[in-house]
């Protein structure tokens, strides 16, 4: 990464001459660019891109952990099998605790969301990688897709009773229409916050790391780098540790909110 | 702020100026691509999980739970057996103790009987020997008394004769007897 940054510094300095004295290259958002994997040309809907690659790697990681890991069906699990079993138990318990016993039917769906987001986030922490979950297009499809799914499910399971979700029968009668309006608005805001929360967290963390990374080669340019470079390296390390936590927590938050929305669809009564 | 200006300066004039100025996330031209590949990915993950991975892991977990339950039941059973065995052992120990005590008591009684018999026999023997000894002592004493009387009479006669008297045998005997009785 440092090599690339220095190259860019050189290029930038060549282009802009003396005015660009410091010569540091800040491209914190370049890591989010969608690029073709092969050749040149426009990005069509079917073009294999870096997003395709890292989603495919997420699939590979999931297959390795959950399919090859559990291949032995060992009574005393191997390490890989333990990871799979722990993730299974973790998500299954979450679905059952939050969405209730009949929510367990949708366990594979919730598990798909969790493992996809978690593995995409974690793979995204590999230096030089691309993080699909940092893109609003991806998280919006996840968030809105799940929103449409639970809304349809709510009407299919409960019919018109699903609207009881918005009608607080234990509130004073005068307040009920007002509360209903607020509830409807908050219901439709759900997928927005659901998807922006994930993309925003992942993007912000990665961008901050990249900003600190841009300061790291300062020692090659000026004397103040003796201070700046170690500080930025330490900062990258600290933020990286935080990002590992965020990668898990955001996957967890997305999943548990999905469970809550599922619960509302299955049991709309308050 | 510095970040944005630098980034835009560096890439100013480049072909992708439009997207570089903003976030790549808001470049809508890449949305169909991302959405398509995301849907492919999700469908693949869903089928891998729901068809292969989750049933398998679920069955492994259920099997393990069953095994653990069985093992616990077996352990409980073995524990009951162990408790029973311990009880049997203790019972055997108690009865063995009682038996031993009985045997000890019987042996003691036997020994006491033998001892009593032997003591009685010894006592009888001792008593017999003692009475015999007493008899002999009495005999010896009587014999000694006779001898003393004889010697005294003879000595008295000799003394009388030596002193020049004519000893009346009868008188001497009477005198000695009287003296001895003295």
């Amino acid at each position: 990464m440092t090599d690339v940054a220095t190259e860019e510094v050189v290029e930038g300095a060549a282009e802009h001459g003396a005015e660009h004295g410091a010569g540091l290259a800040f491209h914190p958002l370049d890591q989010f660019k969608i690029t073709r994997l092969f050749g040149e040309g426009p990005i069509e809907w079917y073009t294999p891109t870096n997003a395709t690659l890292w989603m495919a790697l997420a699939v590979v990681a999931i297959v390795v952990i959950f399919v090859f890991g559990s291949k032995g069906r060992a009574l005393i699990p191997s390490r890989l099998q333990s990871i799979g079993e722990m993730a299974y138990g973790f998500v299954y318990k979450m679905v059952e605790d939050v969405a209730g016993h009949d929510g367990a039917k949708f366990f594979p769906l919730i598990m798909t969301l969790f493992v996809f987001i978690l593995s995409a986030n974690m793979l995204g922490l590999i230096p030089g990688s691309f993080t699909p979950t940092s893109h609003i297009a991806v998280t919006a499809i996840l968030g809105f897709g799940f929103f449409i799914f639970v809304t349809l499910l709510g009407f299919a399971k409960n019919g018109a009773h699903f609207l009881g979700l918005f009608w607080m029968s234990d509130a004073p009668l005068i307040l009920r229409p007002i509360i209903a309006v607020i509830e409807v608005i908050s219901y439709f805001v759900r997928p927005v916050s659901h998807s922006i929360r994930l993309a925003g967290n992942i993007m912000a963390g990665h961008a901050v790391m990249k900003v600190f990374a841009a300061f790291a080669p300062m020692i090659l340019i000026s004397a103040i780098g003796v201070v700046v470079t170690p500080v930025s390296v330490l900062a990258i390390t600290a933020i990286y540790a935080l990002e590992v936590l965020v990668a898990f927590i955001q996957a967890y938050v997305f999943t548990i909110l999905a469970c809550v929305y599922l619960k509302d669809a299955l049991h709309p009564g308050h | 702020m510095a970040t944005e200006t630098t980034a835009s300066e560096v890439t100013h004039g480049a072909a992708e100026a439009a997207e570089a100025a903003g976030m790549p996330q808001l470049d809508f031209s890449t949305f169909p691509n991302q959405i398509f590949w995301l849907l492919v990915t999700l469908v693949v993950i869903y089928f891998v999980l729901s068809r292969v991975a989750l049933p398998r892991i679920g069955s492994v977990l259920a099997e393990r739970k069953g095994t653990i339950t069985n093992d616990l039941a077996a352990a409980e059973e073995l524990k009951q057996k162990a408790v029973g065995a311990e009880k049997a052992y203790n019972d055997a120990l108690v009865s063995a103790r009682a038996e031993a005590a009985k045997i000890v008591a019987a042996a003691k009684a036997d020994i006491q009987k033998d001892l009593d018999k032997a003591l009685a026999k010894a006592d009888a023997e001792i008593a017999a020997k003692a009475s015999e000894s007493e008899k002999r002592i009495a005999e010896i004493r009587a014999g000694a008394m006779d001898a003393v009387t004889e010697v005294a009479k003879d000595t008295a006669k000799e003394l009388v004769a030596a002193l020049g008297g004519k000893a009346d045998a009868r008188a001497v005997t009477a005198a000695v007897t009287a003296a001895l009785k003295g």
Side-chain angles (χ1 to χ4, degrees):
Chain A
M1 264 174 115
T2 319
D3 287 354
V4 177
T6 0
E7 264 176 47
E8 282 168 356
V9 169
V10 173
E11 274 176 31
E15 259 180 54
H16 298 276
E19 59 166 298
H20 225 288
L24 289 178
F26 291 95
H27 302 292
L29 298 179
D30 278 9
Q31 58 180 323
F32 304 119
K33 269 187 191 155
I34 308 279
T35 54
R36 290 176 65 100
L37 278 184
F38 313 106
E40 297 285 321
I43 292 167
E44 304 291 346
W45 60 269
Y46 52 83
T47 315
T49 58
N50 50 353
T52 316
L53 172 68
W54 288 94
M55 286 183 198
L57 288 176
V59 172
V60 169
I62 290 161
V63 168
V64 165
I65 291 172
F66 289 94
V67 177
F68 288 98
S70 65
K71 214 164 100 189
R73 296 166 179 269
L75 211 56
I76 298 160
S78 63
R79 289 177 193 189
L80 215 51
Q81 192 182 327
S82 286
I83 295 173
E85 285 173 5
M86 270 158 71
Y88 183 106
F90 179 70
V91 178
Y92 194 87
K93 193 170 179 307
M94 201 196 305
V95 174
E96 221 174 28
D97 287 354
V98 177
H101 208 67
D102 46 351
K105 208 166 34 179
F106 302 100
F107 167 59
L109 184 70
I110 303 285
M111 187 76 177
T112 302
L113 288 176
F114 179 72
V115 294
F116 170 70
I117 296 171
L118 184 65
S119 51
N121 286 354
M122 287 297 181
L123 288 171
L125 285 171
I126 297 171
S129 70
F130 172 83
T131 320
T133 41
S134 68
H135 271 265
I136 196 73
V138 168
T139 59
I141 290 298
L142 293 174
F144 280 90
F146 196 75
F147 172 77
I148 292 166
F149 169 74
V150 290
T151 306
L152 294 179
L153 181 73
F155 280 113
K157 284 251 171 195
N158 309 289
H161 286 296
F162 182 59
L163 295 172
L165 188 62
F166 309 114
W167 196 252
M168 295 277 181
S169 45
D170 47 355
L173 193 59
I174 301 175
L175 286 178
R176 277 184 215 170
I178 303 165
I179 293 176
V181 171
I182 297 171
E183 286 285 323
V184 169
I185 293 171
S186 84
Y187 186 78
F188 282 97
V189 169
R190 275 177 180 185
V192 179
S193 64
H194 201 195
S195 46
I196 290 181
R197 181 183 301 110
L198 174 59
N201 270 288
I202 301 302
M203 196 196 90
H206 284 237
V208 168
M209 266 197 281
K210 202 61 187 278
V211 167
F212 278 111
F215 277 112
M218 185 73 113
I219 198 163
L220 302 171
I221 295 158
S222 102
I224 199 165
V226 175
V227 178
V228 172
T229 299
V231 168
S232 55
V233 169
L234 277 178
I236 293 167
T237 313
I239 290 176
Y240 190 92
L242 181 70
E243 283 307 298
V244 173
L245 192 68
V246 167
F248 175 79
I249 288 184
Q250 286 307 318
Y252 173 70
V253 166
F254 194 98
T255 315
I256 202 157
L257 283 175
C259 290
V260 170
Y261 301 159
L262 182 64
K263 188 213 85 180
D264 281 347
L266 295 173
H267 315 282
H270 279 279
Chain B
M1 276 194 295
T3 313
E4 277 168 30
T5 47
T6 324
S8 62
E9 270 173 26
V10 167
T11 46
H12 183 73
E16 63 272 15
E19 33 172 307
M23 303 198 302
Q25 276 87 345
L26 297 179
D27 178 6
F28 294 104
S29 68
T30 64
F31 274 32
N33 180 277
Q34 293 193 62
I35 291 167
F36 168 68
W37 289 112
L38 172 67
L39 293 178
V40 171
T41 305
L42 289 180
V43 167
V44 170
I45 293 174
Y46 183 80
F47 277 98
V48 165
L49 287 183
S50 64
R51 293 289 148 91
V52 186
L54 297 185
R56 191 190 280 172
I57 294 174
S59 74
V60 169
L61 289 178
E63 198 182 315
R64 182 173 309 144
K65 205 174 171 192
T67 308
I68 290 172
T69 311
N70 286 346
D71 285 359
L72 282 180
E76 188 59 34
E77 203 175 298
L78 288 176
K79 196 180 159 197
Q80 292 304 326
K81 271 188 191 165
V83 167
E86 199 191 347
K87 196 170 174 295
Y89 166 77
N90 280 336
D91 287 354
L93 203 63
V94 166
S95 68
R97 280 224 179 92
E99 191 75 16
K102 217 186 283 172
I103 290 169
V104 166
K108 247 187 200 157
D110 271 2
I111 290 167
Q112 193 62 49
K113 216 194 281 169
D114 284 354
L115 197 62
D116 286 351
K117 214 190 274 174
L119 275 176
K121 201 171 157 199
D123 278 351
E125 272 173 16
I126 287 165
K129 277 206 175 131
S131 63
E132 199 175 312
S133 302
E134 259 170 31
K135 213 157 65 186
R136 276 181 59 196
I137 288 166
E139 270 169 19
I140 289 165
R141 192 177 272 162
M145 197 52 89
D146 285 353
V148 164
T149 310
E150 206 64 40
V151 167
K153 278 175 190 168
D154 286 351
T155 311
K157 275 176 196 161
E158 289 299 324
L159 276 171
V160 168
L163 290 171
K166 178 77 169 93
D168 182 8
R170 265 228 195 133
V172 170
T173 306
V176 168
T177 309
L180 278 174
K181 274 184 183 162

